[in-house]
């Protein structure tokens, strides 16, 4: 019997229509329900599977009617477990199918129906059960009434009705009136279910609809083809929003206006989403409550001041601000909430409104002065300058009243309390409260004057020495760190551990490495055994995609896992892509890693010359000499790329260690290298004794030129490092530029005229106004739109000839390819490593960062990452900031992203403490940025406000910065210039200084401005 029922069911699903299935389900014996249930689940897996069809398109195996029939079968036979699983849904039922649905559900009457619809409603706010469906289920007593479920389905009614109205012919001229009438005609919906949207977190704020005649289905094939723009003009749409619906219902008295206002205020007290709270606030304002209506609800409005969201608090204060002086306004509840509100830092606008209202309360009732003085004193701890200024004005009103508002004891206590806030006050608040604050003590001490230091020496000592990898277990741990993180020092230690632990790997080291290979290549290796992994990796090749240092390290890891049967690092293509330009320094890193891979293949264990010996990425000169002596003793020639990077990383500014290295020089026998090292490690960098260099032979130059023109003569993607003898001229150039980046070196003139050889590479920067115009033909009122912006350009002379050697570290970024706009993408991830290659002279790389990441000061995720990486390196101890470092700091302090500005402020404070920043140069740079309106003044004013009263040197450095900045600003004052003047006035007042003549002239120019007159007059008078 069971088999025949199941077969009949399957035959109906596959070959018959819905009425046959309904008849079958209505007469299905209870003993056969389980068998049909299992067959239903099997057929659903088959017919609802998304697969490729015979015509090549993708789709489901079953038809829409078959899927509906399976839904009906599930509705009749499923238990609670199957019905509440995510795979069972009832949405998408068409109106013609509803009689079949009601026939089955009336017969089955499943007990899980309420739970099913509640789960459906909670799963997705945009796909909730239809309101009319729930009403009909309730009418048929198939579903118990639940307010939360019905409330969630009400907002979608707007779209359903808009679709129905759009199908009418003709379409009503006032769709809003039609919707209002339909709501008014349904008392249960109007009085029971519609008000529920104020009690539950629904999507009423998001649902909006459009009433418009639909376009013809053949609109593309008409004699005069239509466009949506022309259709919009012929049939203007009517927009429907719940906001307008509620306002219309209140206007026509279908909803009671006082009750609607009360419900809005009660909804604002609930823990709803921010957009939904915004919608309730907008609805309240759209009803235009009168002052009398707001005064009647003052208790509800005051209660909103305890809400955690600033949105609600600011709204409540706005509604109360014109009620302070009304005789019926009760001040006691407001003062109770104000005590907790004034300590919040996230409601600055509301606090300014509140303090202004407290001053009105004081005029209405002077007896409140003691309580208001306490509140105003509490507000002085707020970080916002405007809040402090409002609180200071209130205190000045209380203390400076002609008729005393406080007793003598209360006034003395208040004045004493003000002294506790002296160092926290911003300049505007300090000026207001100056008569009640103690006078500053004397002149600033001589030790508190700020001046940048003259020299820098890295710490080359045992405290900063890097420990080598101890054993296999630490090396294995570092392997995971290298794959997960982008820490240059961890990679260097891992690479060094690979070399000096060669020969000490356990016999099963490939088994222990296997999980790390799966982690690095999850898509290719997940689920593969070790043998399958090895077979796959033996033929693995890197695609010519956006490869970088990660792919180079992965190639070395694969080569290590396989036992170095072939060299893989040199096979990783580092070619320019459509949206990516790899940094040229990566080619040197590839040559260095290829040298390490070759050494591991041949069993050599000597360390790389460029492996840092001291934190953060220095190579001690004495360590470099000992490594070179070890290479010479082993009869191994240094790799040119490795030696180039070692010279760039050598701590030549550590005199004690360099003196130790010079004592080792006589032991070194290589004549050319010894001569180079004698000059490189000499006490005077200007005394270079360079050999005379000649240009390469004509034949070689022609071959190199042809390799640029003929495709099959082009060099491979990964060049091998040249032999040491051939690389000596370029090593001399790198060594000389590491000691003197900006000097002229005539001895290198014969090598070429490329920037960074004989002549230094010294870019400049300028701000250029740019614009872009595009057409919008659909907008006749504004057919064209022009966007104008300021762009920072690094101006250099791009050489026409290719670089003679890839070893010239300080010339690589002068090429046109490295200045491509898509060079920023790989730079954002590789920058921490790239900066570790040039610790002595990072200027060329910093100019590259400015050119790519600093073009604009707006929020840009990729440029922001690069800028933050560059700023992070400036936190480390180092020499005085050069021009590109100063420019990067200025860009960070005024960047559009708040975390980037916070990091730049941290860099500024650390640089002042380390005496690295040149305050005058930073002020001039910031002045240029502000004067060109490249960035708004408010960003800088906010940052400088946080440096106040940290220390004497910090105050003095900021003073020097402002004295260099203010004369650069235009005569027509920029917005928020007053904040800079007030900060400067505060510095001068606290340290008893006088503004220099050039600043006073600028202040005199600004004294005619109404916004700057008061602040400028104070300084010029002093």
């Amino acid at each position: 019997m069971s088999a025949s029922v199941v077969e009949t069911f399957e035959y109906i699903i596959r070959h018959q229509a819905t009425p046959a299935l309904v008849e079958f389900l209505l007469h299905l014996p209870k003993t056969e329900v389980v068998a049909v249930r299992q067959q239903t689940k099997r057929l659903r897996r088959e017919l609802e599977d998304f697969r490729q069809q015979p015509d090549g398109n993708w789709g489901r195996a079953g038809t829409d009617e078959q899927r509906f029939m399976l839904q009906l079968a599930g509705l009749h036979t499923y238990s609670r477990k199957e019905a509440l699983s995510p795979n069972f849904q009832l949405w998408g039922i068409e109106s013609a199918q509803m009689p079949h649905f009601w026939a089955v559900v009336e017969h089955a009457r499943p007990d899980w129906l309420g739970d099913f619809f509640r789960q459906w409603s909670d799963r997705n706010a945009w796909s909730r059960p239809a309101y009319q469906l729930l009403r009909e289920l309730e009418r048929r007593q198939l579903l118990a009434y639940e307010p939360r479920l019905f409330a969630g389905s009400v907002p979608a009614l707007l779209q359903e009705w808009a679709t129905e109205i759009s199908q009418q012919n003709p379409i009503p001229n006032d769709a809003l009136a039609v919707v209002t009438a339909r709501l008014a005609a349904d008392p249960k919906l109007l009085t029971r279910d519609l008000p529920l949207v104020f009690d539950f977190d629904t999507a009423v704020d998001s649902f909006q609809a459009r009433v418009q005649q639909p376009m013809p289905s053949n609109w593309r094939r008409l004699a005069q083809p239509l466009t949506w723009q022309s259709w919009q003009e012929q049939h203007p749409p009517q927009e429907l929003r719940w906001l307008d619906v509620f306002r219309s219902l209140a206007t026509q008295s279908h909803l009671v206006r006082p009750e609607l206002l009360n419900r809005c205020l009660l909804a604002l007290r609930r823990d709803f989403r921010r957009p939904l709270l915004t919608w309730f606030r907008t609805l309240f304002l759209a009803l235009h409550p009168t002052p009398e209506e707001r005064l009647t609800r003052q208790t509800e409005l005051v209660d909103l001041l305890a809400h955690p969201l600033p949105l609600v608090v600011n709204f409540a204060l706005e509604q109360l601000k014109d009620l302070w002086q009304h005789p019926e306004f009760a001040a006691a509840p407001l003062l109770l909430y104000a005590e907790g509100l004034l300590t919040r830092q996230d409601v600055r606008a509301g606090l300014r409104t509140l303090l202004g209202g407290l001053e009105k309360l004081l005029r209405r009732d002077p007896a409140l002065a003691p309580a208001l003085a306490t509140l105003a004193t509490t507000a002085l701890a707020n970080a916002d300058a405007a809040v402090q200024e409002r609180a200071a004005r209130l205190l000045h009103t209380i203390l400076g009243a002609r008729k005393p508002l406080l007793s003598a004891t209360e006034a003395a206590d208040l004045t004493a309390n003000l002294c506790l806030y002296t160092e926290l006050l911003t300049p505007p608040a300090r000026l207001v409260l100056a008569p009640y604050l103690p006078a500053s003590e004397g002149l600033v001490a001589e030790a508190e004057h700020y001046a940048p230091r003259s020299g820098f020496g890295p710490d080359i000592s045992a405290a900063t020495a890097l420990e080598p990898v101890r054993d296999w277990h630490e090396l294995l741990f570092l392997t995971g760190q290298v794959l997960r993180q982008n820490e240059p020092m961890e990679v260097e230690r891992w690479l060094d551990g690979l070399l000096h632990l060669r020969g000490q790997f356990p016999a099963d080291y490939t088994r222990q490495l296997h999980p790390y290979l799966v982690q690095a290549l999850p898509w290719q290796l997940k689920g593969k055994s070790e043998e399958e992994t090895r077979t796959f990796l033996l033929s693995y090749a890197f695609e010519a995609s956006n490869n970088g240092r990660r792919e180079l390290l992965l190639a070395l890891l694969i080569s290590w896992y396989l036992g170095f049967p072939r060299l893989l690092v040199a096979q990783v293509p580092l070619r320019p892509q459509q949206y990516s330009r790899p940094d040229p320094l990566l080619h040197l890193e590839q040559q260095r890693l290829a040298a390490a891979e070759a050494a591991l293949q041949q069993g050599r264990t000597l360390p790389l010359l460029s492996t840092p010996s001291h934190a953060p990425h220095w190579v001690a000169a004495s360590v470099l000499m000992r490594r070179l002596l070890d290479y010479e003793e082993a009869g191994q020639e240094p790799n040119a790329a490795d030696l180039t990077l070692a010279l760039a990383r050598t701590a030549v500014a550590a005199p004690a260690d360099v003196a130790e290295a010079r004592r080792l020089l006589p032991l070194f026998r290589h004549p050319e290298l010894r001569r180079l090292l004698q000059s490189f490690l000499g006490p005077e960098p200007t005394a270079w004794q360079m050999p005379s260099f000649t240009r390469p032979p004509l034949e070689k130059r022609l071959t190199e030129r042809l390799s640029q023109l003929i495709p099959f003569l082009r060099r491979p993607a990964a060049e091998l490092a040249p032999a040491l003898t051939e690389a000596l001229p370029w090593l001399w150039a790198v060594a000389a530029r590491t000691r003197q980046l900006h000097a002229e070196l005539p001895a290198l003139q014969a090598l070429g005229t490329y920037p960074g050889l004989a002549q230094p590479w010294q870019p400049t920067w300028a701000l250029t106004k740019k614009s872009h115009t595009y057409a919008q033909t659909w907008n006749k009122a504004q057919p064209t739109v022009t966007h104008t912006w300021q762009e920072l350009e690094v101006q250099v002379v791009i050489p026409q000839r290719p670089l003679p050697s890839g070893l010239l570290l300080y010339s690589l970024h002068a090429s046109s390819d490295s200045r491509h706009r898509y060079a920023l993408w790989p730079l954002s991830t590789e920058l921490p490593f790239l900066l570790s290659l040039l610790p002595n002279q990072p200027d060329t790389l910093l100019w590259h960062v400015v050119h790519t990441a600093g073009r604009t000061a707006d929020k840009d995720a990729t440029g922001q990452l690069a800028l933050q990486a560059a700023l992070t390196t400036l936190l480390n101890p180092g020499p005085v900031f050069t021009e590109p470092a100063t420019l990067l700091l200025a860009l960070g302090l005024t960047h559009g992203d708040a975390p980037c500005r916070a990091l730049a402020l941290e860099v500024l404070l650390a640089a002042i403490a380390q005496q690295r920043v040149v305050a005058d140069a930073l002020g001039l740079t910031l002045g240029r940025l502000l004067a060109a309106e490249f960035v708004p003044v408010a960003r800088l004013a906010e940052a400088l406000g946080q440096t106040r009263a940290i220390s004497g040197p910090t105050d003095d450095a900021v003073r020097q910065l402002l004295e260099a900045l203010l004369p650069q600003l235009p005569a027509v004052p920029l917005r928020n210039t007053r904040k800079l003047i007030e900060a400067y006035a505060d510095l001068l007042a606290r340290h008893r200084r006088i503004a220099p003549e050039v600043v006073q002239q600028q202040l005199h120019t600004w004294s005619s401005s109404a916004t700057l007159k008061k602040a400028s007059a104070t300084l010029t008078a002093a």
Side-chain angles (χ1 to χ4, degrees):
M1 180 65 181
S2 298
S4 62
V5 171
V6 171
E7 290 174 359
T8 303
F9 171 70
E10 183 174 356
Y11 180 82
I12 292 173
I13 294 294
R14 292 188 185 276
H15 303 290
Q16 294 187 4
T18 306
L21 177 68
V22 173
E23 184 68 21
F24 171 83
L25 292 175
L26 294 181
H27 296 87
L28 180 67
K30 292 183 178 180
T31 56
E32 305 297 337
V33 168
V34 175
V36 173
R37 178 194 304 166
Q38 299 302 324
Q39 187 68 1
T40 301
K41 292 193 289 185
R42 188 187 69 79
L43 288 173
R44 286 192 62 194
R45 286 194 298 269
E46 175 188 344
L47 298 179
E48 294 184 3
D49 184 32
F50 198 78
R51 64 181 68 177
Q52 192 170 15
Q53 304 298 322
D55 59 357
N57 297 323
W58 286 80
R60 299 190 184 276
T63 63
D64 292 340
E65 185 175 13
Q66 286 176 330
R67 290 196 296 275
F68 173 66
M69 293 165 68
L70 289 173
Q71 289 177 358
L72 292 181
L75 187 65
H76 186 279
T77 63
Y78 275 7
S79 65
R80 179 180 297 271
K81 178 181 178 181
E82 285 86 8
L84 299 184
S85 68
N87 296 325
F88 184 64
Q89 297 177 351
L90 287 178
W91 54 270
I93 302 177
E94 299 177 359
S95 58
Q97 298 172 334
M98 290 304 297
H100 305 302
F101 169 79
W102 291 119
V104 173
V105 74
E106 282 273 20
H107 176 74
R109 304 187 74 86
D111 60 350
W112 45 259
L113 208 56
D115 294 333
F116 172 80
F117 281 107
R118 280 191 294 271
Q119 179 176 281
W120 180 4
S121 181
D122 293 341
R123 189 178 299 156
N124 188 350
W126 293 98
S127 177
R128 288 178 171 174
Y131 174 77
Q132 298 298 347
L133 175 63
L134 296 180
R135 285 280 299 273
E136 184 64 19
L137 288 168
E138 181 193 12
R139 188 188 68 80
R140 295 174 184 250
Q141 298 183 357
L142 296 170
L143 184 70
Y145 177 71
E146 186 174 341
R148 181 168 173 268
L149 178 62
F150 278 70
S153 297
V154 166
L157 275 175
L158 201 62
Q159 287 185 340
E160 296 175 15
W161 289 348
T163 303
E164 294 178 16
I165 297 172
S166 298
Q167 303 298 327
Q168 298 179 12
N169 190 13
I171 293 178
N173 294 328
D174 191 352
L176 179 61
V178 175
V179 171
T180 304
R182 292 190 66 169
L183 284 168
D186 190 343
K188 185 172 287 190
L189 170 59
L190 182 67
T191 60
R192 187 192 71 171
D193 295 336
L194 185 61
L196 293 177
V197 299
F198 294 91
D199 301 331
F200 298 97
D201 193 342
T202 68
V204 69
D205 60 310
S206 305
F207 274 96
Q208 56 185 0
R210 171 179 292 187
V211 174
Q212 185 182 25
Q213 182 177 341
M215 293 180 67
S217 58
N218 61 339
W219 61 275
R220 288 188 177 89
R221 299 187 298 272
L222 297 175
Q224 293 183 348
L226 293 172
T227 63
W228 70 269
Q229 295 93 344
S230 61
W231 189 259
Q232 294 283 100
E233 295 176 358
Q234 298 173 20
H235 305 278
Q238 300 181 55
E239 301 292 341
L240 290 178
R241 299 181 304 164
W242 278 113
L243 190 69
D244 301 323
V245 172
F246 274 101
R247 189 166 51 185
S248 176
L249 289 170
T251 302
Q252 299 180 26
S253 301
H254 296 304
L255 289 179
V256 181
R257 176 183 172 86
E259 182 183 354
L260 196 56
L261 291 173
N262 291 338
R263 285 185 175 275
C264 288
L265 294 180
L266 289 175
L268 285 169
R269 296 175 60 177
R270 295 188 169 95
D271 186 19
F272 288 157
R273 297 173 291 111
R274 184 189 296 267
L276 184 56
L277 292 174
T278 304
W279 187 86
F280 287 125
R281 180 196 66 178
T282 307
L283 176 58
F284 185 89
L285 297 176
L287 296 173
H288 302 293
T290 64
E292 290 74 18
E293 289 177 322
R294 286 184 280 118
L295 188 64
T296 305
R297 294 164 180 81
Q298 61 175 305
T299 302
E300 290 81 0
L301 288 169
V302 170
D303 287 343
L304 294 179
L305 299 181
H307 200 281
L309 287 180
L311 164 77
V312 179
V313 175
N314 290 333
F315 161 77
L317 290 171
E318 280 293 318
Q319 298 306 303
L320 292 171
K321 70 178 182 180
D322 58 347
L323 306 177
W324 309 113
Q325 294 180 313
H326 198 282
E328 296 182 11
F329 181 76
L334 175 68
L335 298 183
L336 182 63
Y337 281 102
E339 185 176 358
L341 189 61
L342 288 170
T343 58
R344 292 179 56 172
Q345 304 292 330
D346 57 344
V347 286
R348 295 177 294 182
L351 291 182
R352 294 195 290 268
T353 303
L354 175 61
L355 289 167
L358 295 181
E359 195 163 356
K360 294 179 181 178
L361 283 178
L362 178 66
R363 289 197 293 267
R364 193 192 80 175
D365 187 0
L368 295 174
L372 298 182
T374 302
L375 292 175
T377 306
T378 303
L380 292 178
N382 197 285
D384 185 67
V387 173
Q388 283 195 16
E389 186 177 7
R390 289 290 181 91
R393 289 177 184 174
L394 178 57
L395 289 169
H396 179 70
T397 302
I398 295 173
L399 292 172
R402 293 182 179 179
K403 183 179 180 180
L405 301 175
L406 301 175
S407 65
T409 304
E410 290 172 337
D413 292 341
L414 178 58
T415 306
N417 288 335
L418 291 181
C419 298
L420 301 177
Y421 294 90
T422 302
E423 294 300 325
L424 297 177
L425 295 179
T426 57
R430 178 181 292 275
L431 289 175
V432 175
L433 295 176
Y436 316 105
L437 297 176
S440 302
E441 298 181 0
L443 295 174
V444 66
E446 216 36 60
E448 292 181 330
H449 285 271
Y450 174 80
R453 65 181 173 201
S454 57
F456 166 73
D459 183 10
I460 305 298
S461 64
T464 60
L466 298 177
E467 293 292 332
V469 180
R470 295 184 298 272
D471 51 26
W472 161 254
H473 300 289
E474 186 179 2
L475 181 63
L476 192 64
F477 172 77
L478 280 176
T479 303
Q481 297 294 101
V482 167
L483 292 175
R484 284 194 299 269
Q485 302 176 7
N486 189 23
E487 291 293 334
M489 189 47 58
E490 298 298 327
V491 175
E492 296 289 354
R493 293 187 67 241
W494 176 75
L495 190 59
D496 185 59
L498 273 180
L499 289 166
H500 82 258
L501 292 177
R502 175 70 166 157
Q504 303 178 33
F505 303 150
D508 64 339
Y509 83 92
T510 57
R511 179 184 62 81
Q512 299 184 48
L513 278 181
H514 184 259
Y516 297 100
L517 266 298
V518 176
Q519 176 186 335
L521 298 170
W523 293 100
Q524 296 91 336
L525 301 180
K526 189 174 182 179
K528 285 186 169 60
S529 64
E530 292 184 40
E531 187 61 34
E532 292 171 334
T533 297
R534 182 175 181 82
T535 303
F536 173 80
L537 293 179
L538 282 172
S539 59
Y540 182 77
F542 288 89
E543 299 179 356
S545 57
N546 300 331
N547 294 319
R549 194 182 186 221
R550 182 186 181 278
E551 285 70 27
L552 297 176
L553 295 171
L554 179 58
L556 183 57
L557 177 62
I558 294 174
S559 189
W560 177 29
Y561 176 80
L562 297 175
F564 304 101
R566 57 192 177 98
L567 301 179
L568 296 178
V569 174
Q571 297 180 17
V572 179
L574 294 179
R575 302 190 186 98
Q577 302 298 317
Q578 181 179 4
Y579 298 108
S580 176
R581 292 294 189 274
D583 196 272
L585 285 170
L586 286 179
H587 293 283
L588 271 171
E589 174 68 0
Q590 185 176 35
Q591 295 173 21
R592 185 177 77 118
L593 293 178
E597 184 184 29
L600 289 166
Q601 184 189 50
Q602 299 167 17
R604 302 196 302 265
T605 59
L606 290 176
L608 292 175
L609 298 174
S610 56
T611 299
S613 61
H614 291 74
H617 30 247
W618 295 106
V619 176
S622 59
V623 173
L624 175 61
M625 284 305 309
R626 292 190 184 95
R627 290 175 181 174
L628 285 170
L629 290 172
D630 291 341
Y631 270 67
E632 195 169 54
E633 183 178 351
Q636 182 178 336
E637 183 180 89
N639 179 270
D642 185 26
L643 182 55
T644 300
L645 295 176
L647 292 174
R649 282 177 164 176
T650 300
V652 290
D657 183 73
V658 171
E660 174 65 22
R662 284 200 295 268
R663 285 193 291 271
L664 296 174
L665 263 176
L667 303 177
F668 191 57
R669 297 187 300 273
H670 195 292
E672 291 85 358
L673 270 185
R674 183 170 62 184
R675 184 177 178 184
L676 184 153
L677 293 170
Q678 284 175 344
S679 297
F680 181 61
L681 302 175
E684 295 295 333
T686 55
W688 287 96
Q689 299 296 327
M690 298 184 187
S692 57
F693 299 116
T694 58
R695 301 188 68 184
L698 178 61
E699 180 182 353
K700 183 174 181 180
R701 279 185 285 150
L702 289 175
T703 302
E704 291 182 350
R705 182 60 177 165
L706 286 174
S707 69
Q708 305 292 326
L709 302 175
I710 305 177
F712 60 82
L713 289 181
R714 286 179 182 168
R715 300 174 181 175
E719 298 182 22
L720 297 177
L724 191 61
T725 304
E726 183 182 347
L728 273 174
W730 320 121
L731 293 174
W732 272 97
V734 171
R737 288 298 170 200
T738 301
R739 294 296 301 271
Q740 294 176 289
L741 185 64
H742 302 295
E744 293 190 7
L745 303 172
L748 298 176
Q749 189 70 42
L751 296 178
T753 58
Y754 206 87
L757 283 175
Q759 298 295 324
W761 186 45
Q762 294 179 326
T764 58
W765 63 279
L767 296 168
T768 307
K769 182 173 288 188
K770 294 192 173 183
S771 62
H772 173 68
T773 302
Y774 66 90
Q776 45 182 16
T777 55
W778 62 90
N779 190 346
K780 294 183 178 180
Q782 192 178 12
T784 61
V785 176
T786 300
H787 288 294
T788 305
W789 71 94
Q790 293 278 354
E791 191 166 305
L792 189 151
E793 294 183 344
V794 177
Q795 300 173 333
V796 295
V797 178
I798 299 178
Q800 300 300 320
R801 297 176 178 274
L803 189 66
S805 173
L807 299 180
L808 295 172
L809 296 176
Y810 305 108
S811 303
L812 295 175
H813 293 99
S815 65
S816 59
D817 192 62
S818 66
R819 299 181 60 75
H820 196 277
R821 57 176 176 161
Y822 290 127
L824 174 62
W825 180 258
L827 184 69
S828 60
T829 56
E830 307 287 356
L831 191 58
F833 159 71
L834 298 176
L835 286 168
S836 73
L837 297 179
L838 308 173
N840 283 291
Q841 303 288 359
D843 281 14
T844 55
L845 188 53
L846 293 182
W847 278 120
H848 183 52
V849 175
V850 171
H851 171 73
T852 54
R855 291 184 177 183
T856 63
D858 296 327
K859 294 181 181 180
D860 175 73
T862 308
Q864 177 183 328
L865 289 175
L867 187 60
Q868 288 180 347
L871 289 172
T872 302
T873 61
L874 298 180
L875 289 169
N876 300 323
V880 171
F881 286 168
T882 55
E883 183 180 6
T886 301
L887 180 55
L888 277 172
L889 178 56
L891 292 173
L893 289 171
T894 55
H895 198 270
D897 186 67
C900 193
R901 294 198 301 273
L903 176 59
L905 178 61
E906 185 179 353
V907 171
L908 175 64
L909 297 177
I912 292 174
Q914 300 168 8
Q915 296 179 275
R916 297 188 63 189
V917 67
V918 183
D920 295 345
L922 180 59
L924 292 173
T925 302
L926 288 167
R928 288 182 62 182
L929 297 177
L930 297 179
E933 298 186 43
F934 182 71
V935 290
V937 178
R939 295 178 187 172
L940 178 63
E942 180 185 1
L944 295 184
Q946 299 179 61
T947 65
R948 185 185 176 280
I950 292 178
S951 66
T954 302
D955 281 351
D956 195 56
V958 175
R959 177 190 61 80
Q960 296 178 34
L961 183 155
L962 289 172
E963 288 179 351
L965 182 151
L966 292 175
Q968 304 295 315
L969 300 183
V972 178
L974 302 172
R975 185 179 181 184
N976 291 309
T977 302
R978 180 176 64 89
K979 294 183 178 180
L980 293 179
I981 298 176
E982 290 173 345
Y984 181 59
D986 178 66
L987 287 169
L988 296 185
R990 285 192 296 111
H991 297 280
R992 301 286 184 86
R993 290 181 176 273
I994 299 176
E997 182 64 26
V998 64
V999 177
Q1000 291 202 22
Q1001 291 177 0
Q1002 179 69 296
L1003 294 173
H1004 181 72
T1005 304
W1006 286 334
S1007 61
S1008 59
S1009 170
T1011 57
L1012 304 183
K1013 182 176 181 179
K1014 181 178 179 181
S1016 301
T1018 303
L1019 288 175
T1020 52

